[in-house]
Amino acid sequence: MAKCSVCMKVKGKRNCKVFSGVVCALCCGTSRDESRCAGCSFYKTVAEMRRYDKTQYFSTLQMADNQELQDAGDVIEGAMCVFDHAQTNTIKDGFLKNVLERLLDRYAFGDKTLLFSDDLEREGFAFIDAAIKEDLSGVESERLSKVIATVYRSIKRHADGSYGGRKYIDFIHQHVGTR
């Protein structure tokens, strides 16, 4: 096997179109650039690398034992219900999952600039974010991000991998309703 085209110290195992040869994993990782590496199987955007399901959250027991946490979750879920109602009850669980990922990008990861898949996702984010800012402005950011992560996990649990349906949104319509 040939030496890495960049460092020339170790064996290169990854074919690299940028350096026209093989590179080692270390050089590949340290020289990645979206404009040059887009389309490469080894390149992942920040969003693709994020593990939203690994962000800190409150357990169901912690939520059940704390009315303040329940109220914060209700603000978020209630806003989801209002937004769904405004869209004539057509919002799918996958859409809400994506919106919550953008909320986690903002509140858990501190992103200032967010990328949305379409205008509806941007509107859904803005609507729920406005409810958070209005009703949860006094909640510390770490606690708020954990509540958002808890709601995110709830979507994943209720949707059971089928994000094209409405299992979660129908559940919160029944148990939380509009805010």
Side-chain angles (χ1 to χ4, degrees), residues 22-69:
V22 292
V23 295
C24 67
L26 179 63
C27 289
C28 177
T30 57
S31 64
R32 287 186 188 143
D33 178 276
E34 185 173 5
S35 63
R36 299 182 309 169
C37 300
C40 176
S41 64
F42 296 107
Y43 178 77
K44 301 272 188 267
T45 63
V46 172
E48 291 172 319
M49 291 188 301
R50 287 209 169 136
R51 295 291 312 268
Y52 297 103
D53 56 337
K54 299 290 184 192
T55 54
Q56 290 188 347
Y57 62 94
F58 292 108
S59 70
T60 52
L61 183 61
Q62 289 172 305
M63 292 293 286
D65 288 345
N66 188 316
Q67 189 60 49
E68 202 175 287
L69 294 177

Short mmCIF file of all heavy atoms in Angstrom, two decimals, residues 22-69:
data_model
loop_
_atom_site.label_atom_id
_atom_site.label_comp_id
_atom_site.label_asym_id
_atom_site.label_seq_id
_atom_site.Cartn_x
_atom_site.Cartn_y
_atom_site.Cartn_z
N VAL A 22 -3.89 8.37 -2.31
CA VAL A 22 -4.42 7.84 -1.06
C VAL A 22 -3.92 8.70 0.11
O VAL A 22 -2.82 9.25 0.06
CB VAL A 22 -4.04 6.36 -0.85
CG1 VAL A 22 -4.74 5.48 -1.87
CG2 VAL A 22 -2.54 6.16 -0.92
N VAL A 23 -4.76 8.82 1.13
CA VAL A 23 -4.40 9.58 2.33
C VAL A 23 -4.72 8.73 3.56
O VAL A 23 -5.57 7.85 3.52
CB VAL A 23 -5.14 10.94 2.42
CG1 VAL A 23 -4.73 11.86 1.29
CG2 VAL A 23 -6.63 10.76 2.45
N CYS A 24 -4.02 9.04 4.65
CA CYS A 24 -4.31 8.36 5.92
C CYS A 24 -5.54 9.00 6.55
O CYS A 24 -5.95 10.11 6.17
CB CYS A 24 -3.10 8.43 6.86
SG CYS A 24 -2.70 10.07 7.47
N ALA A 25 -6.14 8.34 7.51
CA ALA A 25 -7.35 8.84 8.16
C ALA A 25 -7.12 10.19 8.85
O ALA A 25 -7.97 11.07 8.79
CB ALA A 25 -7.87 7.81 9.17
N LEU A 26 -5.96 10.36 9.47
CA LEU A 26 -5.66 11.61 10.16
C LEU A 26 -5.60 12.78 9.18
O LEU A 26 -6.23 13.82 9.41
CB LEU A 26 -4.34 11.50 10.93
CG LEU A 26 -3.91 12.76 11.68
CD1 LEU A 26 -4.93 13.12 12.77
CD2 LEU A 26 -2.55 12.57 12.30
N CYS A 27 -4.88 12.63 8.11
CA CYS A 27 -4.79 13.71 7.11
C CYS A 27 -6.14 13.97 6.44
O CYS A 27 -6.48 15.11 6.16
CB CYS A 27 -3.72 13.39 6.07
SG CYS A 27 -2.03 13.50 6.75
N CYS A 28 -6.89 12.91 6.21
CA CYS A 28 -8.23 13.06 5.63
C CYS A 28 -9.09 13.90 6.56
O CYS A 28 -9.73 14.86 6.12
CB CYS A 28 -8.86 11.68 5.42
SG CYS A 28 -10.55 11.72 4.78
N GLY A 29 -9.08 13.58 7.84
CA GLY A 29 -9.92 14.29 8.80
C GLY A 29 -9.51 15.73 9.03
O GLY A 29 -10.35 16.60 9.20
N THR A 30 -8.21 16.00 9.00
CA THR A 30 -7.74 17.36 9.29
C THR A 30 -7.75 18.27 8.07
O THR A 30 -7.64 19.48 8.19
CB THR A 30 -6.32 17.35 9.90
OG1 THR A 30 -5.45 16.67 9.01
CG2 THR A 30 -6.32 16.68 11.26
N SER A 31 -7.91 17.72 6.88
CA SER A 31 -7.89 18.56 5.67
C SER A 31 -9.25 18.65 5.00
O SER A 31 -9.36 19.18 3.90
CB SER A 31 -6.86 18.00 4.69
OG SER A 31 -7.24 16.71 4.25
N ARG A 32 -10.29 18.17 5.65
CA ARG A 32 -11.63 18.19 5.03
C ARG A 32 -12.15 19.60 4.87
O ARG A 32 -11.98 20.46 5.72
CB ARG A 32 -12.62 17.40 5.88
CG ARG A 32 -12.40 15.92 5.77
CD ARG A 32 -13.47 15.15 6.49
NE ARG A 32 -13.07 13.76 6.51
CZ ARG A 32 -13.28 12.95 7.53
NH1 ARG A 32 -13.91 13.39 8.59
NH2 ARG A 32 -12.89 11.71 7.47
N ASP A 33 -12.83 19.79 3.77
CA ASP A 33 -13.42 21.09 3.45
C ASP A 33 -14.67 20.81 2.62
O ASP A 33 -14.61 20.05 1.65
CB ASP A 33 -12.40 21.92 2.66
CG ASP A 33 -12.95 23.25 2.24
OD1 ASP A 33 -13.63 23.31 1.20
OD2 ASP A 33 -12.70 24.23 2.97
N GLU A 34 -15.78 21.44 2.97
CA GLU A 34 -17.04 21.16 2.29
C GLU A 34 -16.96 21.40 0.79
O GLU A 34 -17.45 20.60 -0.01
CB GLU A 34 -18.18 21.97 2.90
CG GLU A 34 -19.53 21.62 2.31
CD GLU A 34 -20.68 22.30 3.01
OE1 GLU A 34 -20.46 23.13 3.89
OE2 GLU A 34 -21.84 21.99 2.66
N SER A 35 -16.33 22.49 0.38
CA SER A 35 -16.29 22.81 -1.04
C SER A 35 -15.47 21.79 -1.84
O SER A 35 -15.79 21.50 -2.98
CB SER A 35 -15.73 24.22 -1.26
OG SER A 35 -14.39 24.29 -0.81
N ARG A 36 -14.43 21.25 -1.21
CA ARG A 36 -13.58 20.29 -1.92
C ARG A 36 -14.02 18.85 -1.72
O ARG A 36 -13.78 18.01 -2.58
CB ARG A 36 -12.13 20.42 -1.45
CG ARG A 36 -11.53 21.78 -1.71
CD ARG A 36 -10.09 21.86 -1.30
NE ARG A 36 -9.90 21.39 0.08
CZ ARG A 36 -8.72 21.16 0.63
NH1 ARG A 36 -7.63 21.33 -0.07
NH2 ARG A 36 -8.62 20.76 1.88
N CYS A 37 -14.64 18.54 -0.59
CA CYS A 37 -14.89 17.14 -0.23
C CYS A 37 -16.36 16.71 -0.36
O CYS A 37 -16.68 15.57 -0.05
CB CYS A 37 -14.42 16.89 1.20
SG CYS A 37 -12.66 17.20 1.43
N ALA A 38 -17.22 17.61 -0.79
CA ALA A 38 -18.64 17.25 -0.95
C ALA A 38 -18.75 16.05 -1.88
O ALA A 38 -18.11 15.99 -2.92
CB ALA A 38 -19.43 18.43 -1.49
N GLY A 39 -19.54 15.09 -1.48
CA GLY A 39 -19.73 13.89 -2.28
C GLY A 39 -18.82 12.73 -1.90
O GLY A 39 -19.04 11.60 -2.30
N CYS A 40 -17.79 13.01 -1.13
CA CYS A 40 -16.88 11.95 -0.68
C CYS A 40 -17.56 11.16 0.43
O CYS A 40 -18.19 11.74 1.32
CB CYS A 40 -15.58 12.56 -0.17
SG CYS A 40 -14.43 11.33 0.51
N SER A 41 -17.40 9.85 0.42
CA SER A 41 -18.06 9.02 1.44
C SER A 41 -17.50 9.25 2.83
O SER A 41 -18.13 8.91 3.82
CB SER A 41 -17.94 7.55 1.06
OG SER A 41 -16.58 7.16 1.06
N PHE A 42 -16.31 9.82 2.93
CA PHE A 42 -15.71 10.07 4.24
C PHE A 42 -16.08 11.45 4.80
O PHE A 42 -15.82 11.73 5.96
CB PHE A 42 -14.18 9.96 4.16
CG PHE A 42 -13.72 8.58 3.80
CD1 PHE A 42 -13.22 8.32 2.54
CD2 PHE A 42 -13.82 7.54 4.71
CE1 PHE A 42 -12.80 7.05 2.20
CE2 PHE A 42 -13.41 6.27 4.39
CZ PHE A 42 -12.90 6.02 3.12
N TYR A 43 -16.68 12.31 3.97
CA TYR A 43 -17.03 13.66 4.42
C TYR A 43 -18.45 13.70 4.94
O TYR A 43 -19.37 13.22 4.30
CB TYR A 43 -16.88 14.67 3.28
CG TYR A 43 -17.27 16.05 3.72
CD1 TYR A 43 -16.41 16.81 4.51
CD2 TYR A 43 -18.51 16.58 3.40
CE1 TYR A 43 -16.77 18.07 4.95
CE2 TYR A 43 -18.88 17.84 3.84
CZ TYR A 43 -18.01 18.58 4.61
OH TYR A 43 -18.38 19.81 5.07
N LYS A 44 -18.62 14.26 6.11
CA LYS A 44 -19.95 14.45 6.70
C LYS A 44 -20.05 15.90 7.15
O LYS A 44 -19.11 16.47 7.70
CB LYS A 44 -20.15 13.55 7.93
CG LYS A 44 -20.01 12.08 7.64
CD LYS A 44 -21.33 11.50 7.21
CE LYS A 44 -21.28 10.01 7.10
NZ LYS A 44 -20.98 9.50 5.81
N THR A 45 -21.21 16.51 6.93
CA THR A 45 -21.43 17.85 7.43
C THR A 45 -21.61 17.78 8.94
O THR A 45 -21.85 16.71 9.50
CB THR A 45 -22.68 18.49 6.80
OG1 THR A 45 -23.82 17.73 7.20
CG2 THR A 45 -22.58 18.57 5.29
N VAL A 46 -21.54 18.92 9.60
CA VAL A 46 -21.73 18.97 11.05
C VAL A 46 -23.08 18.39 11.42
O VAL A 46 -23.21 17.61 12.37
CB VAL A 46 -21.58 20.42 11.57
CG1 VAL A 46 -21.95 20.51 13.03
CG2 VAL A 46 -20.16 20.90 11.35
N ALA A 47 -24.11 18.75 10.66
CA ALA A 47 -25.47 18.25 10.95
C ALA A 47 -25.55 16.73 10.83
O ALA A 47 -26.24 16.08 11.60
CB ALA A 47 -26.48 18.91 10.03
N GLU A 48 -24.85 16.16 9.87
CA GLU A 48 -24.87 14.71 9.69
C GLU A 48 -24.13 13.99 10.81
O GLU A 48 -24.41 12.84 11.10
CB GLU A 48 -24.24 14.33 8.35
CG GLU A 48 -25.06 14.73 7.15
CD GLU A 48 -24.32 14.50 5.84
OE1 GLU A 48 -23.11 14.79 5.77
OE2 GLU A 48 -24.97 14.04 4.89
N MET A 49 -23.20 14.67 11.45
CA MET A 49 -22.43 14.05 12.52
C MET A 49 -23.11 14.20 13.88
O MET A 49 -22.75 13.52 14.82
CB MET A 49 -21.03 14.67 12.60
CG MET A 49 -20.18 14.32 11.41
SD MET A 49 -18.47 14.84 11.57
CE MET A 49 -18.59 16.59 11.77
N ARG A 50 -24.07 15.08 13.99
CA ARG A 50 -24.71 15.30 15.28
C ARG A 50 -25.56 14.11 15.66
O ARG A 50 -26.28 13.55 14.85
CB ARG A 50 -25.60 16.55 15.21
CG ARG A 50 -24.74 17.78 15.17
CD ARG A 50 -25.42 18.95 15.77
NE ARG A 50 -24.47 20.02 15.93
CZ ARG A 50 -24.70 21.27 15.64
NH1 ARG A 50 -25.88 21.63 15.19
NH2 ARG A 50 -23.78 22.18 15.82
N ARG A 51 -25.49 13.77 16.91
CA ARG A 51 -26.29 12.67 17.45
C ARG A 51 -27.33 13.29 18.38
O ARG A 51 -27.12 13.40 19.57
CB ARG A 51 -25.39 11.70 18.21
CG ARG A 51 -24.36 10.98 17.35
CD ARG A 51 -24.98 9.98 16.38
NE ARG A 51 -25.94 9.10 16.96
CZ ARG A 51 -25.68 7.90 17.48
NH1 ARG A 51 -24.48 7.43 17.46
NH2 ARG A 51 -26.65 7.18 17.99
N TYR A 52 -28.44 13.71 17.81
CA TYR A 52 -29.47 14.38 18.58
C TYR A 52 -30.01 13.48 19.70
O TYR A 52 -30.37 13.96 20.76
CB TYR A 52 -30.62 14.83 17.67
CG TYR A 52 -30.18 15.85 16.66
CD1 TYR A 52 -29.97 15.50 15.33
CD2 TYR A 52 -29.98 17.18 17.02
CE1 TYR A 52 -29.57 16.44 14.40
CE2 TYR A 52 -29.57 18.12 16.09
CZ TYR A 52 -29.37 17.74 14.78
OH TYR A 52 -28.96 18.68 13.87
N ASP A 53 -30.04 12.19 19.44
CA ASP A 53 -30.55 11.26 20.44
C ASP A 53 -29.59 11.09 21.61
O ASP A 53 -29.93 10.49 22.62
CB ASP A 53 -30.88 9.90 19.81
CG ASP A 53 -29.70 9.28 19.08
OD1 ASP A 53 -28.79 10.01 18.68
OD2 ASP A 53 -29.71 8.05 18.91
N LYS A 54 -28.39 11.65 21.51
CA LYS A 54 -27.41 11.55 22.60
C LYS A 54 -27.32 12.84 23.42
O LYS A 54 -26.52 12.91 24.36
CB LYS A 54 -26.01 11.22 22.04
CG LYS A 54 -25.95 9.90 21.31
CD LYS A 54 -26.08 8.75 22.25
CE LYS A 54 -25.89 7.44 21.49
NZ LYS A 54 -26.29 6.30 22.26
N THR A 55 -28.10 13.87 23.07
CA THR A 55 -28.07 15.09 23.86
C THR A 55 -28.70 14.81 25.22
O THR A 55 -29.54 13.92 25.36
CB THR A 55 -28.82 16.25 23.17
OG1 THR A 55 -30.13 15.83 22.85
CG2 THR A 55 -28.11 16.69 21.90
N GLN A 56 -28.31 15.57 26.22
CA GLN A 56 -28.83 15.36 27.57
C GLN A 56 -30.33 15.64 27.59
O GLN A 56 -30.81 16.57 26.95
CB GLN A 56 -28.12 16.26 28.56
CG GLN A 56 -26.70 15.85 28.80
CD GLN A 56 -26.06 16.64 29.93
OE1 GLN A 56 -26.58 17.64 30.39
NE2 GLN A 56 -24.93 16.17 30.39
N TYR A 57 -31.05 14.83 28.36
CA TYR A 57 -32.51 14.93 28.44
C TYR A 57 -32.95 14.57 29.86
O TYR A 57 -32.17 14.10 30.67
CB TYR A 57 -33.16 13.99 27.42
CG TYR A 57 -32.83 12.53 27.67
CD1 TYR A 57 -33.67 11.73 28.43
CD2 TYR A 57 -31.66 11.96 27.17
CE1 TYR A 57 -33.37 10.39 28.68
CE2 TYR A 57 -31.35 10.63 27.42
CZ TYR A 57 -32.20 9.87 28.17
OH TYR A 57 -31.89 8.56 28.43
N PHE A 58 -34.23 14.82 30.12
CA PHE A 58 -34.82 14.40 31.38
C PHE A 58 -35.51 13.06 31.18
O PHE A 58 -36.14 12.83 30.14
CB PHE A 58 -35.86 15.42 31.88
CG PHE A 58 -35.25 16.74 32.28
CD1 PHE A 58 -35.42 17.87 31.51
CD2 PHE A 58 -34.51 16.84 33.45
CE1 PHE A 58 -34.86 19.08 31.89
CE2 PHE A 58 -33.94 18.05 33.84
CZ PHE A 58 -34.13 19.17 33.05
N SER A 59 -35.39 12.19 32.15
CA SER A 59 -36.06 10.88 32.07
C SER A 59 -37.56 11.09 32.23
O SER A 59 -38.02 12.13 32.70
CB SER A 59 -35.55 9.94 33.16
OG SER A 59 -35.99 10.39 34.43
N THR A 60 -38.34 10.09 31.86
CA THR A 60 -39.79 10.19 32.03
C THR A 60 -40.15 10.33 33.50
O THR A 60 -41.10 11.05 33.84
CB THR A 60 -40.51 8.97 31.41
OG1 THR A 60 -39.91 7.77 31.92
CG2 THR A 60 -40.43 8.98 29.91
N LEU A 61 -39.39 9.69 34.38
CA LEU A 61 -39.63 9.82 35.82
C LEU A 61 -39.36 11.24 36.30
O LEU A 61 -40.14 11.81 37.06
CB LEU A 61 -38.77 8.82 36.59
CG LEU A 61 -38.97 8.80 38.11
CD1 LEU A 61 -40.41 8.42 38.46
CD2 LEU A 61 -38.00 7.82 38.76
N GLN A 62 -38.25 11.84 35.82
CA GLN A 62 -37.95 13.22 36.20
C GLN A 62 -39.04 14.16 35.71
O GLN A 62 -39.42 15.09 36.43
CB GLN A 62 -36.60 13.66 35.61
CG GLN A 62 -35.40 13.01 36.26
CD GLN A 62 -34.12 13.32 35.51
OE1 GLN A 62 -34.02 13.07 34.30
NE2 GLN A 62 -33.15 13.87 36.22
N MET A 63 -39.53 13.94 34.50
CA MET A 63 -40.60 14.78 33.97
C MET A 63 -41.88 14.61 34.79
O MET A 63 -42.55 15.58 35.12
CB MET A 63 -40.87 14.46 32.49
CG MET A 63 -39.76 14.85 31.54
SD MET A 63 -39.48 16.61 31.37
CE MET A 63 -40.89 17.11 30.37
N ALA A 64 -42.21 13.36 35.11
CA ALA A 64 -43.44 13.08 35.85
C ALA A 64 -43.42 13.66 37.25
O ALA A 64 -44.47 14.05 37.78
CB ALA A 64 -43.67 11.57 35.91
N ASP A 65 -42.24 13.75 37.85
CA ASP A 65 -42.12 14.23 39.23
C ASP A 65 -41.93 15.74 39.35
O ASP A 65 -41.77 16.25 40.45
CB ASP A 65 -40.94 13.53 39.93
CG ASP A 65 -41.23 12.08 40.24
OD1 ASP A 65 -42.41 11.66 40.18
OD2 ASP A 65 -40.26 11.34 40.53
N ASN A 66 -41.92 16.46 38.24
CA ASN A 66 -41.62 17.88 38.29
C ASN A 66 -42.61 18.66 37.42
O ASN A 66 -42.52 18.62 36.19
CB ASN A 66 -40.18 18.12 37.82
CG ASN A 66 -39.73 19.54 38.02
OD1 ASN A 66 -40.44 20.48 37.73
ND2 ASN A 66 -38.49 19.68 38.49
N GLN A 67 -43.52 19.36 38.05
CA GLN A 67 -44.55 20.10 37.33
C GLN A 67 -43.96 21.19 36.43
O GLN A 67 -44.46 21.45 35.34
CB GLN A 67 -45.57 20.72 38.31
CG GLN A 67 -46.79 21.33 37.63
CD GLN A 67 -47.58 20.31 36.83
OE1 GLN A 67 -47.89 19.23 37.32
NE2 GLN A 67 -47.91 20.64 35.59
N GLU A 68 -42.86 21.81 36.87
CA GLU A 68 -42.21 22.85 36.07
C GLU A 68 -41.70 22.28 34.74
O GLU A 68 -41.84 22.91 33.69
CB GLU A 68 -41.06 23.43 36.88
CG GLU A 68 -40.62 24.80 36.46
CD GLU A 68 -39.54 25.33 37.41
OE1 GLU A 68 -39.88 25.68 38.56
OE2 GLU A 68 -38.37 25.36 36.98
N LEU A 69 -41.11 21.10 34.80
CA LEU A 69 -40.63 20.45 33.57
C LEU A 69 -41.80 20.05 32.68
O LEU A 69 -41.74 20.21 31.46
CB LEU A 69 -39.79 19.21 33.90
CG LEU A 69 -38.47 19.44 34.62
CD1 LEU A 69 -37.79 18.10 34.94
CD2 LEU A 69 -37.55 20.34 33.82
#
